[in-house]
Amino acid sequence: MYLACTPEAAPGYYVIVHVGFAISLMDEEEARRTLAVLRAIPGGLDEIPR
């Protein structure tokens, strides 16, 4: 993952990644909600551990 677009990102931060680039930071609550929605899509993101 490339962090040039989010230089403030550090270990423990949550980011949105698009084509290998971290493009946005998000807080833990937003990350949890986003993963819940993506996991609800049939066949989507099943490979992401819970």
Side-chain angles (χ1 to χ4, degrees), residues 30-45:
E30 184 178 3
R32 289 181 189 277
R33 287 193 316 264
T34 300
L35 282 173
V37 168
L38 293 173
R39 286 187 180 117
I41 298 169
L45 301 185

Side-chain angles (χ1 to χ4, degrees), residues 1-7 9-25:
M1 176 177 36
Y2 192 63
L3 298 173
C5 299
T6 55
Y13 280 62
Y14 295 87
V15 296
I16 294 175
V17 177
H18 179 65
V19 296
F21 290 83
I23 60 172
S24 179
L25 293 175

